Amino acid sequence: WAYGGGVDNVVVTGTTPGSPVQTAVNTGAGDQQYLGPNATVNFYDPNTGDVMCTIENLTGHDYGCTTVEVDRAGTGSTGFVNPQANTYLHDKSFKVTPTNNNASGSYTITLYYTDAEVMGWEAATGEVRANAFIHKTDGANQVMDVTTDNPGGVPITSMGATATTGTGYVTYAATFGNGFSGFGVGIDVSPLPVELAEFKGKHVQGQGNLLNWTTATEENSSHFEIERSFNGVDFEKIGTVQGQGNSAASFDYDFMDRNFREGINYYRLRMVDLDETFEYSSIVAIDVAKEGGITLVPNPIKGRGQIIFDIPLSGNGTLKIFDVTGKVVLEQNFELNATTNLEVDLSSLTSGIYFARFENQGNVYGSKVVKE
């Protein structure tokens, strides 16, 4: 495409767009048209003739030869800046590339979708077209450069869209005040209250399961709720740590779970905003091997038995018996000496599997117990 320099006040228009609508990716083979000062231009796929979008230039800026492409296609939804499924975008997205971009330009862009593309998105997200926003990536980035794994990597501009339903198609229109780049349609997405840089955990012998996490930034962050599961599916809250509110600097947090269980313990963070919206972190699994130190005999046990120490202990100690949900169902305190075996009575417990934890001078020793 080429046009002569010095051309002013040229307005290029097409016929009023309608169906059919372009649904296939045409990257590298999109429509190229001249977008001059105060022009309104319709963009069609050059091979199919199907409509993609309409751009109305609201200023005297000359964008020159401008290319419009469909860079992603589909009839469902695709993740964007927020991992919650209702905030996902329509699968189909666009890229607009002018010869002379304008970072402070003003234009109205109208994007075309088929009924199938819109209804597929509504079914996947539970949202409706009337609540739609057009999201624009800043700079030369495409919408597909923004993912739930990289929510802050690409700045975006979001504008409320006017949705109009035609025969077999839906249009979304919004006005922007910056340059062209990538465009997609979803709902309003607020930034995550927390940008989590790292979440990890490990077992500390004699202490518990230590969780550590680092935030890169926090915006209106209220607190973190630590949740634990023993099967990786059913989680329960076991603690709370306050957030920083607003912080552009990284911050380190930690939490010690002393009521862990032998075997695999699963953890996740519920990151809560000041307005009580929340997001979940990824799940961290800590595999706790048997700690030893004590043995309950007999095992299985019907009622009374003994704690046999594999190592010498002294001072005061506390025995805690946990059920399979992690609840303390029995607790006894003891005075120890190096040769003492302690009498225990589990007759009040129902039949099942339990976990014994013996705490002594900051150390924790564990054993699995079967109650007949």
Side-chain angles (χ1 to χ4, degrees), residues 285-359:
I286 301 176
D287 190 359
V288 181
K290 182 178 180 181
E291 295 171 330
I294 64 169
T295 303
L296 268 70
V297 293
N299 194 3
I301 186 173
K302 291 184 177 181
R304 293 183 178 275
Q306 283 191 327
I307 303 175
I308 307 293
F309 296 109
D310 302 330
I311 55 178
L313 299 177
S314 61
N316 296 322
T318 300
L319 173 68
K320 293 182 180 180
I321 305 293
F322 298 86
D323 64 16
V324 292
T325 70
K327 178 182 177 181
V328 177
V329 294
L330 183 67
E331 182 172 341
Q332 291 180 259
N333 295 319
F334 299 91
E335 290 187 5
L336 307 172
N337 60 57
T339 60
T340 300
N341 292 331
L342 302 177
E343 297 289 331
V344 294
D345 185 359
L346 305 187
S347 58
S348 62
L349 302 181
T350 58
S351 299
I353 297 175
Y354 296 88
F355 300 88
R357 298 289 176 189
F358 196 87
E359 302 173 5

Side-chain angles (χ1 to χ4, degrees), residues 150-174:
N150 184 32
V154 177
I156 64 171
T157 300
S158 303
M159 302 298 295
T162 299
T164 302
T165 301
T167 303
Y169 69 93
V170 176
T171 64
Y172 296 105

Side-chain angles (χ1 to χ4, degrees), residues 97-170:
T97 309
T99 299
N100 309 310
N101 213 346
N102 183 5
S104 58
S106 181
Y107 56 88
T108 298
I109 187 168
T110 302
L111 304 175
Y112 281 74
Y113 288 81
T114 65
D115 280 346
E117 290 170 331
V118 175
M119 290 189 292
W121 169 78
E122 289 177 326
T125 63
E127 297 293 338
V128 295
R129 65 196 71 181
N131 295 334
F133 273 62
I134 295 180
H135 303 290
K136 190 194 79 67
T137 53
D138 295 343
N141 297 288
Q142 297 173 260
V143 168
M144 65 181 63
D145 295 328
V146 185
T147 67
T148 54
D149 295 327
N150 184 32
V154 177
I156 64 171
T157 300
S158 303
M159 302 298 295
T162 299
T164 302
T165 301
T167 303
Y169 69 93
V170 176

Side-chain angles (χ1 to χ4, degrees), residues 1 14 20 64 100 110 124 128 141 152 168 181 203 229 238 278-279 313 321:
W1 175 277
N100 309 310
T110 302
V128 295
N141 297 288
S181 52
H203 179 68
S229 171
I238 61 171
F278 65 90
E279 305 293 343
L313 299 177
I321 305 293

Side-chain angles (χ1 to χ4, degrees), residues 174-196:
T175 300
F176 289 84
N178 51 10
F180 289 104
S181 52
F183 294 86
V185 177
I187 64 165
D188 187 19
V189 288
S190 300
L192 294 176
V194 172
E195 183 183 352
L196 196 63

